[in-house]
Amino acid sequence: MRAFFGPLDPEGRVPLHQQTRVAAFLISAHGALARHFAFALPLKLKSAWQTELNAQFYREAEIVSLLLRATSWIPDLALSYLAASWETTWLPKPIEGIDDPPLALAGDLAARAHAIHAGIRPAALLPVEADTHDPFVTALRRIEFESGRLLQAQILLLKSPDLTPFREAVSATLEQRHAEIRKLWAEALEGVGVSVREGNNDKS
């Protein structure tokens, strides 16, 4: 099990089966966020966190569009059952104890988005010899850059005055979402020979 993508081809490109698996996972995760951001938006924006949801919807859609075009796809038979487990994990789970349904959903969505943007770092898996001009390599680095910016917005919502009275419930949801994302991400990568689990990486 390797700690990075590879072995790279002679042109420094990530193997196609690894591109396909990683892109499929990221499209599933960010596509679900885009859908749920859209559904969480009211017809008229009434608060600052709702305005931020609108902006994040477009950024998530851009990530999906970028991956669709930058990835060199090949058939991956495992995706038929992997995608089902991914999509189940993305389902909304309103934070218990919050009486305002839109806020309870928005809080869970922010927690899930935080876990995805903080816990999934695909560019960190690129070897130093990866071709910097390859579209897939460029896309992963762009996504990681965007994730850093989006993460700040999610932190603002999770620490907003609206959610302050529910701090313990929000923290529990955030912890649960992070654990779910770490598990799915690790399993997806292990299926194509890459390990992100601590203490289980062979960098040779």
Side-chain angles (χ1 to χ4, degrees):
M1 195 72 67
R2 299 170 57 91
F4 300 103
F5 294 130
L8 306 180
D9 71 9
E11 297 179 358
R13 297 184 303 175
V14 175
L16 302 190
H17 68 291
Q18 293 179 348
Q19 288 194 38
T20 298
R21 178 68 59 84
V22 168
F25 182 87
L26 293 174
I27 287 172
S28 175
H30 291 283
L33 288 177
R35 293 194 305 272
H36 296 155
F37 278 131
F39 287 130
L41 286 170
L43 293 178
K44 183 176 181 180
L45 303 179
K46 299 179 180 179
S47 64
W49 63 264
Q50 291 172 339
T51 303
E52 186 55 43
L53 290 184
N54 184 72
Q56 292 193 52
F57 161 70
Y58 288 103
R59 289 177 185 143
E60 297 295 350
E62 288 173 357
I63 288 174
V64 171
S65 177
L66 175 61
L67 283 167
L68 285 170
R69 291 164 173 76
T71 304
S72 297
W73 299 92
I74 61 170
D76 184 345
L77 298 179
L79 289 180
S80 59
Y81 66 85
L82 286 174
S85 66
W86 299 342
E87 293 298 323
T88 299
T89 302
W90 313 144
L91 291 175
K93 301 174 185 175
I95 298 178
E96 295 183 5
I98 299 181
D99 296 331
D100 182 348
L103 183 60
L105 282 171
D108 172 68
L109 181 53
R112 176 155 42 92
H114 185 283
I116 289 171
H117 289 295
I120 301 175
R121 299 188 59 226
L125 301 176
L126 292 167
V128 293
E129 63 270 24
D131 179 11
T132 57
H133 301 292
D134 178 71
F136 184 73
V137 171
T138 302
L140 293 191
R141 288 178 172 153
R142 180 65 186 178
I143 289 167
E144 191 150 329
F145 173 77
E146 289 296 331
S147 288
R149 297 202 309 173
L150 288 167
L151 196 58
Q152 298 305 312
Q154 286 132 26
I155 291 172
L156 288 176
L157 173 56
L158 292 167
K159 292 186 176 181
S160 68
D162 291 330
L163 290 175
T164 298
F166 313 104
R167 183 59 51 215
E168 289 187 8
V170 170
S171 296
T173 296
L174 188 60
E175 183 177 346
Q176 179 184 3
R177 284 302 193 180
H178 270 268
E180 291 173 343
I181 295 337
R182 283 195 302 268
K183 180 175 182 293
L184 287 186
W185 179 230
E187 291 173 349
L189 289 174
E190 287 168 357
V192 289
V194 180
S195 177
V196 291
R197 299 182 192 270
E198 294 183 5
N200 191 35
N201 286 342
D202 178 7
K203 298 185 181 182
S204 61

